[in-house]
Amino acid sequence: LRLNYPGSPHQFHAHLFELKSRLNAYRGESYSADPLIRADKLMKQIVKAFPNEIQSEREYLSQEAALIRHKLAERDWSMAQYYLKKGENRAAQVYLGKITSEFDDTAFANAASEEKEKMIGLPAEPSQPAEWFVNLFPDSEAKAKPVITARQTSTITR
C-alpha cells in the first residue's frame, strides 16, 4: 500500500503498521539491527510526512521512538560487555563512547560512563596468552626471511 498507492488516504496507518512490523521483526541484541535501523528511519519519515496525523498517535509514537533508542543502546551495551570480557578495552571504549554520546537519554548512558571511568589505566589490548608460540613465527611487520626458500620448494614437490 505504501509503495503502490502513495495517494491513498490510508498511508498514515500503513506507515504505522509497517513500523510495528519492523519492531516485531527485531529478535534481540544477538541478531541483526537492520529492523531497528529501518524502524528508526521510518519513524523519522512518519514525523516529516504526516505532521497533522501524528497528533492523534503522539503518545504511541513517542513510546516507540523511546523503545527504538533503548534497544539500539542495549545492542551497543551488549557489544561493550562482550569486548570487556575479552579484555579488548579499546573496542569496548568505542561502544561505551557511542552510548554516552548518541544515547545519552537512555538508562545505559550512566552505566556506560561509569564503566569508562573504571577502564582508565587498563591496557588497550589483551595480553597474548601463548606468546612463546606466536614468537615461533616471523613478525609480519619486520622484514624477515621466508620460511621456505625457492631452492627448498623444488625438493618439497619431489
Side-chain angles (χ1 to χ4, degrees):
L1 179 69
R2 282 190 52 231
L3 301 175
N4 294 332
Y5 302 102
S8 171
H10 305 290
Q11 276 293 314
F12 177 66
H13 292 289
H15 277 76
L16 287 180
F17 289 139
E18 183 178 349
L19 177 67
K20 191 172 197 88
S21 173
R22 297 270 182 212
L23 289 173
N24 286 337
Y26 179 64
R27 292 294 171 211
E29 62 207 36
S30 300
Y31 296 93
S32 173
D34 195 44
L36 279 182
I37 293 168
R38 288 184 180 192
D40 190 38
K41 287 180 184 177
L42 185 61
M43 178 71 73
K44 292 173 185 171
Q45 189 179 27
I46 290 171
V47 170
K48 284 182 183 178
F50 305 103
N52 299 328
E53 290 88 345
I54 64 170
Q55 299 304 324
S56 62
E57 299 290 336
R58 182 166 295 282
E59 185 177 329
Y60 169 74
L61 290 173
S62 64
Q63 286 176 350
E64 296 301 314
L67 179 68
I68 291 170
R69 291 188 54 76
H70 178 80
K71 288 187 177 189
L72 286 170
E74 183 181 42
R75 288 183 59 77
D76 289 341
W77 177 257
S78 173
M79 288 302 294
Q81 293 302 310
Y82 169 76
Y83 284 119
L84 279 172
K85 287 178 186 173
K86 288 182 65 176
E88 296 182 13
N89 298 323
R90 185 181 311 149
Q93 284 180 340
V94 169
Y95 281 100
L96 293 172
K98 183 179 176 187
I99 292 169
T100 55
S101 64
E102 292 181 24
F103 304 109
D104 57 345
D105 59 336
T106 64
F108 294 101
N110 291 335
S113 61
E114 289 174 8
E115 198 69 41
K116 281 176 69 173
E117 289 176 16
K118 290 180 190 175
M119 294 175 62
I120 295 174
L122 293 177
E125 296 176 1
S127 61
Q128 182 62 255
E131 192 170 342
W132 63 270
F133 186 69
V134 173
N135 291 338
L136 291 175
F137 297 97
D139 188 12
S140 61
E141 295 175 4
K143 292 230 175 202
K145 294 180 183 178
V147 178
I148 299 175
T149 62
R151 196 170 8 150
Q152 290 174 335
T153 57
S154 63
T155 59
I156 292 174
T157 56
R158 288 184 195 165

